């Protein structure tokens, strides 16, 4: 693939996307993209590993239990038997077991944030794009203002406001998790809203939509048959890109102490605990290296996947829709 | 042009006022008071403190503080009672701004360079390698990068281990801070460069015999840089208001820590002051970016925008 | 390309501009430079409550008496001596005539009266200590009401009724409600230090008309900052860069300046433990006053000679809520109202099944002693002895333990298990007690939340260990709930928790600084433990003039706490610091008082 060829092909791809009612060819192209394959492959590999080991990491009687505190192994470094592969932490817990369960929770955070981002972002974006006028201005000003507010303030406030009332309905552990998911999701939908709105606006102005209207098609059908399919692309791309950012947000919140409740692990909280225990005297490197590597590899794959998808769906997208 | 600038600047006070009110509402809703410590304070003591600081209710606060904001007086900090919010911001802002600018100065040239080379070498080894390096910024949490750099500084003694006073202190924290924006700039540049390189005028230029380097750097870059330009606005503003993590790890007395500490301490005037500063910076930089947009690409007529 | 290149150039130009704006520049290193426990919270005597603030204040201010640099006992400072009336209620202090303020004004009794009066009118955390003075509590409450109601709930109380009088420039008379044998300790404590009223006048907050009419004066906090701050101690505060450093310089107006050896002292602010250690290692600071657990343990394992530790006057413990029904928010999350912790057998079972030795060996790792009692046996409490616990042969009648015996017992291998004060570590007995209380083998025991403040990594780990220990020993489940700093303190003080790890440090060397916390009337009584026997014992002790008899009463009160266990003592704090051999005068001590007057560095 030479430099000159790709842009032309992608130009055609874009125009194809806009003109066809349902771009099935797009998905085939997705599966051919190397970035998507490699990124997706690694991601699903890790996910599978974490899910497959759940019966052990969640069984409280197993030595692989994520909170099994083995007094004989406090702060021990990596060794060759499986449980010791990633070493142990200060309370004698296997870092491997904690990383495996931590992966589920971290990825769940990402998935939840992406879901909220899609639901909220698409709704707002569609409303703004379709209604236009003052609805559009108002909604976009809201998005701008939310961008300007301090994120930490919003998260802490949200947590404080809702965690207690919620723990009356469900167990405190679940309340903590739900509130964490919700608060990260709440700050992740802004970009999606902007992207969707932009896409809707640009599609509405296209001649073929005018043509549809001239032909007498109802607004509803235009939306379902023509606009929505062209939205799926960008939505997928940004949903995929929301996941890594959400996982990083969670690690930042753990560093601040407002993340997930102990003793549940996430990769971010494992990394943050490790950093706080580092010193040049005794560098417990295994506490940091393993969770961070898993985190970095997963996030890299997600970003690769997102980039690959974006290359396929909208290679010309301007930066404003980061 | 001047009319546009004036129009935009005139909007600033309105937007800032709305942000002020919203932040204020959020802060007052949060339970917890800035005046409680480890020990349980007598209710009388608490009330007296609240009264002294005009903080007994939302209304007394609103009645007293906002009107002074116009003169730049945000009131005293509720937590650091000897310091006014203006004093605190005045001491911290220059440091954060310097650090942020330094980080952007690293991120922009390096990011654009890597992104361009990745685009030119599409699919090749350089593309993959450079992307991986750049993506460290968004795949590894900031506190990990900062902590690793700090240990590195401690072990090798080539760099000071934090603090702020001389140019040498800027290097490691600036580097750590630059990684995230660098990653974004790399990806943006790569995508838009790929696109630009496919345009007809590029092929014409090459056909005319201009060298590859000239075509890439002199002609394509200007167009490819536009999306990065748009990103630079908010990116510079947020980087300048400091990264809490970098500042905490390298113990730099910047504004980022105040962002977080003021919230955990429920220091209402400080929260408002810091938010105002960040919003103002954001607005200013967005305006600058829009102006530069028009200057960079004369085809774009920014005055035509609705504003 | 030219236009694109302009962007980085513009950024570079801005960078140069901001570098010039931020000043910067390298600071000349002080003779003695140290890292304090944390950043200064406030230097206003009214609001001061943190240890690091007190530490700095000892360097810049002085009271009637002051802690001696070596022994920490109060020695005459602002006063040369005192006369005590026969009923031991009237103290007449004779002031030292040479004492001057840093601006040259002489220190007079009026300055003491002014400062003490401010403590009553503008209350802070330690205002309650002034209530030993006749009429002080009444004055303070009434003037609060008067100010709050803008003069309607009058009349204005008269300060002449309070037992604080400047008889003349050099005589200061204090009249108390009851004899207070440790008054000298109190006047050596910063809230009792004098202030120069004239120098604070420029900082009076703008008064509204109402305030002028009722005579209400408030001072802006900035009066404590250089260059306007006026102090009377061995050093003057000459520089304060917010969150960066404070610089003290030897004061020429100090009466004892010949004995002040170090000319400049610098306090560097670095809140990250790693940065603190690196600054010490590189020589940028001479003394790191607090070293945290993990680092201390590693350094000790390496045999570092510059690591110094001393027991501290404080105890870490779990607080249990003792109300018959669970607090509303807890009850909702647990699903039932009945509070198992209201039963003393349950509290004893929980306490006796905690392996505290493991906690100090593996989690806190600073060389602390595991605790069986609430009051720490670190030697600060002169003459205090501990009554043996209920599971010790002989019980309460047997010989009481001195603090040296307590320390030896707690340091010994099985010291937690056998005879001693308070409750032992005994899992079988704990199980029996739990069964007696109605939860055999943990059946039916609700899943209580254990609440911790997320700003403490150590407490987080302790909670995780406790969860497992209680599961293994008693087969009960607890869930760990984290609350962010302020929320945590609010929840505990509002009594909306079930179990929480907390701590208490003594403010002055007397047992009452610990026992007062659990009086039924005390606002610090987070456990909501209301015991009339305890209240009676403490009240009798307040009135008791004979020091020995008073101690016996307080010992019995303390024993009640250790056996009824509204709190489960975990360990006694240890203070660990780092200083090289050439630094003198910074040895750690239980109350963590360091007088800079006695510090000097050999170079």
């Amino acid at each position: 693939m030479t430099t000159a060829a790709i842009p032309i092909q992608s130009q055609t791809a874009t125009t194809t996307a806009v003109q066809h009612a349902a771009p099935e060819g797009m998905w085939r192209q997705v599966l051919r993209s190397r970035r998507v394959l490699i990124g997706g492959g690694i991601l699903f590999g890790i996910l599978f590993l974490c899910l497959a080991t759940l019966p052990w990491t969640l069984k409280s009687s197993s030595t692989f239990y994520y909170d099994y505190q083995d007094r004989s192994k406090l702060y021990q470094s990596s060794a060759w038997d499986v449980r010791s592969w990633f070493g142990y932490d200060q309370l004698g817990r296997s870092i491997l077991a904690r990383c495996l369960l931590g992966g589920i929770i971290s990825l769940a955070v990402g998935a939840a944030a992406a879901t909220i981002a899609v639901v909220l972002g698409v709704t707002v974006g569609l409303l703004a794009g379709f209604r236009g006028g003052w609805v559009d201005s108002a909604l976009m000003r809201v998005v701008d203002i939310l961008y300007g507010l301090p994120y930490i303030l919003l998260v802490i406030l949200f947590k404080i406001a809702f965690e207690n009332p919620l723990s009356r309905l469900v167990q405190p552990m679940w309340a903590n998790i739900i509130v964490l998911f919700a608060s990260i999701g709440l700050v992740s939908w802004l970009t999606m809203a902007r992207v969707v709105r932009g896409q809707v606006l640009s599609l509405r102005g296209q001649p073929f939509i005018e043509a549809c209207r001239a032909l007498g098609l109802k607004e509803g059908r235009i939306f379902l048959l023509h606009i929505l399919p062209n939205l799926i692309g960008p939505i997928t791309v940004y949903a995929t890109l929301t996941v890594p950012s959400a996982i990083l947000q969670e690690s930042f919140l753990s560093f601040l102490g407002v993340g997930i409740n102990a003793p549940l692990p996430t990769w971010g909280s494992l990394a943050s605990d490790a950093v706080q225990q580092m010193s040049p005297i005794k560098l417990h490197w295994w506490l940091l290296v393993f969770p961070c590597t898993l985190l970095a590899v997963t996030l890299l794959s997600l970003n690769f996947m997102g980039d690959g998808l974006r290359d396929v769906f909208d290679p010309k997208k301007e930066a404003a829709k980061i | 042009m001047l009319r546009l600038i004036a129009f935009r600047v005139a909007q600033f006070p309105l937007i800032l006022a709305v942000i002020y009110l919203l932040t204020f509402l959020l802060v007052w809703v949060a339970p917890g008071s800035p005046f409680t410590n480890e020990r349980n304070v007598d209710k009388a003591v608490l009330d007296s403190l609240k009264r002294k600081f005009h903080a007994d209710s939302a209304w007394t606060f609103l009645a007293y503080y906002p009107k002074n904001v116009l003169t730049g007086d945000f009131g005293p900090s509720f937590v650091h009672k000897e310091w006014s919010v203006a004093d605190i911001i005045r001491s911290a802002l220059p440091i954060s701004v310097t650090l942020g600018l330094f980080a952007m100065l690293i991120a922009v040239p390096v990011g654009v360079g890597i992104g361009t080379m990745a685009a030119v070498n599409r699919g090749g080894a350089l593309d993959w390698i450079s992307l991986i390096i750049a993506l460290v910024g968004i795949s590894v949490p900031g506190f990990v990068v900062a902590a690793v750099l700090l240990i590195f500084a401690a072990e090798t003694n080539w760099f000071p281990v934090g603090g702020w006073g001389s140019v040498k202190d800027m290097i490691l924290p600036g580097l750590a801070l630059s990684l995230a924006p660098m990653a974004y700039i790399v990806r943006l540049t790569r995508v838009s460069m790929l696109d630009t390189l496919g345009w007809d005028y590029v092929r014409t230029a090459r056909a005319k015999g201009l060298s590859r380097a000239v075509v890439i750097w002199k002609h394509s870059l200007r167009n490819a840089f536009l999306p990065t330009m748009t990103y630079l606005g908010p990116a510079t503003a947020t980087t300048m208001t400091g990264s809490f993590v970098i500042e905490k790890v390298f113990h730099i007395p910047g504004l980022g820590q105040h962002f977080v500490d003021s919230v955990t301490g429920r220091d209402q005037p400080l929260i408002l002051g810091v938010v105002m500063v960040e919003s103002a910076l954001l607005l200013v930089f967005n305006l600058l970016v829009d102006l530069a947009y028009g200057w960079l690409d004369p085809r774009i007529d920014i005055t035509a925008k609705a504003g | 390309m030219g236009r694109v290149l302009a962007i980085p150039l513009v950024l570079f130009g801005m960078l140069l501009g901001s570098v010039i704006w931020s000043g910067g520049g390298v600071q000349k290193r002080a003779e003695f430079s140290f890292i304090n426990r944390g950043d200064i919270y406030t230097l206003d005597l009214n609001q001061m409550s943190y240890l690091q603030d007190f530490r700095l204040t000892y360097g810049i201010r002085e009271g009637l008496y002051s802690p001696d640099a070596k022994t920490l006992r109060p020695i005459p400072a602002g006063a040369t001596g005192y006369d005590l009336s026969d009923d031991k209620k009237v103290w007449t202090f004779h002031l030292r005539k040479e004492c001057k303020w840093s601006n040259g004004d002489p220190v007079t009794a009026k300055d003491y009266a002014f400062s003490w009066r401010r403590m009553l009118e503008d209350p802070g955390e330690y205002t309650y200590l002034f209530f030993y003075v006749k009429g002080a509590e009444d004055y303070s409450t009434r003037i609060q009401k008067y100010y709050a109601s803008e003069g309607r709930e009058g009349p204005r109380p008269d300060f002449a009724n309070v037992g604080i009088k400047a008889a003349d420039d050099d005589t200061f008379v204090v009249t108390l409600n009851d004899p207070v044998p440790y008054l000298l300790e109190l006047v050596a404590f910063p809230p009792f230090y004098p202030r120069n009223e004239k120098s604070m006048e420029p900082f009076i907050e703008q008064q509204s008309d109402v305030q002028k009419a009722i005579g209400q004066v408030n001072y802006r906090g900035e009066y404590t900052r250089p260059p306007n701050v006026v102090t009377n101690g061995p050093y003057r505060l000459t520089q304060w860069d917010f969150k960066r450093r404070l610089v003290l310089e030897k004061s020429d107006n100090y009466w004892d300046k010949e004995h002040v050896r170090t000319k400049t002292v610098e306090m560097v602010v670095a809140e990250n433990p790693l940065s603190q250690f690196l600054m010490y290692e590189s020589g940028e600071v001479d003394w790191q006053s607090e070293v945290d657990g993990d680092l201390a343990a590693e350094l000790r394992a390496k045999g570092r000679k510059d690591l110094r530790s001393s027991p501290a006057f404080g105890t870490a413990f779990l607080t249990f809520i003792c109300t018959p029904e669970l607090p509303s928010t807890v009850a909702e999350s647990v699903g039932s109202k009945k509070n198992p912790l209201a039963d003393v057998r349950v509290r004893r079972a929980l306490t006796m099944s905690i392996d505290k030795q493991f906690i100090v060996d593996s989690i806190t790792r600073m060389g602390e002693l595991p605790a069986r009692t609430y009051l720490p046996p670190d030697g600060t409490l002169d003459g205090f002895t501990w009554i043996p616990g209920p599971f010790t042969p002989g019980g309460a009648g047997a010989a009481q333990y001195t603090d040296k015996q307590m320390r030896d017992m707690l340091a010994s291998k099985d010291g937690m298990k056998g005879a001693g004060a308070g409750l032992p570590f005994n899992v079988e007995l704990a199980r029996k007690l739990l069964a007696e209380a109605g939860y055999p083998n943990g059946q039916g025991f609700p899943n209580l939340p254990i609440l911790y403040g997320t700003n403490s990594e150590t407490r987080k780990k302790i909670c995780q260990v406790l969860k497992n220990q209680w599961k293994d020993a008693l087969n009960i489940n607890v869930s760990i709930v984290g609350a962010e700093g302020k929320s945590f303190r609010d929840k505990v003080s509002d009594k909306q928790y079930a179990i929480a790890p907390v701590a208490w440090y003594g403010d002055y060397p007397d047992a009452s600084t610990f026992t007062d916390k659990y009086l039924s009337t005390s606002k610090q009584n987070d456990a909501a433990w209301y015991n009339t026997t305890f209240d009676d014992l403490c009240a009798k002790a307040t009135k008791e003039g004979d020091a020995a008899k008073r101690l016996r009463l307080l010992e019995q009160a303390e024993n009640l706490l250790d056996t009824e266990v509204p709190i489960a003592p975990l360990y006694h704090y240890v203070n660990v610091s780092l200083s090289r051999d050439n630094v003198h005068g910074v040895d750690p001590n239980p109350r963590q008082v360091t007088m800079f007057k006695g510090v000097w560095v050999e170079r």
Side-chain angles (χ1 to χ4, degrees), chain C residues 312-351:
Chain C
F313 193 40
T315 304
F317 52 93
L318 292 178
T319 171
F320 297 123
I321 196 79
C322 300
T323 47
E325 283 193 350
L326 286 172
S328 50
T329 52
V330 175
E332 278 160 359
S333 66
V334 166
S336 85
K337 279 208 189 145
K338 178 159 177 290
N339 183 7
L341 300 171
D343 186 334
V344 66
R345 290 171 298 193
V346 171
R347 298 199 299 267
R348 282 184 174 177
L350 288 176
T351 310

Side-chain angles (χ1 to χ4, degrees), chain C residues 260-277:
Chain C
V260 178
R261 291 173 77 156
T262 307
K263 287 207 211 51
T264 49
V265 174
E266 180 185 359
M267 175 189 136
V268 178
V269 181
E271 284 172 294
N272 180 12
L274 184 58
S275 315
Q276 289 177 349
F277 177 66

Side-chain angles (χ1 to χ4, degrees), chain A residues 164-211:
Chain A
N164 259 344
L166 203 59
S167 45
R168 294 175 207 171
L169 299 171
V170 296
Q171 269 197 3
M173 183 186 86
W174 287 107
N176 172 245
I177 293 180
I178 293 175
V179 166
L180 188 66
F181 282 9
S183 55
I184 296 183
L186 272 175
V187 293
S188 309
W189 63 270
L190 301 169
T191 313
M192 181 71 83
R194 279 214 184 134
V195 168
V196 169
R197 168 189 175 267
Q199 184 76 328
V200 168
L201 281 178
S202 91
L203 281 173
R204 275 176 69 193
Q206 296 280 348
F208 83 98
I209 298 289
E210 287 288 324

Side-chain angles (χ1 to χ4, degrees), chain C residues 31-34 55 69-70 235 259-265 286-287 579 582-587 593-602:
Chain C
E31 276 182 35
F32 170 67
S33 178
F34 75 103
R55 188 175 272 153
K70 278 212 168 46
Y235 291 90
H259 291 119
V260 178
R261 291 173 77 156
T262 307
K263 287 207 211 51
T264 49
V265 174
D286 301 305
W287 179 45
S579 60
N582 64 336
V583 180
H584 302 267
V586 293
D587 300 318
V593 172
T594 308
M595 305 300 288
F596 297 127
K597 196 170 153 179
V599 172
W600 52 285
V601 181
E602 269 175 61

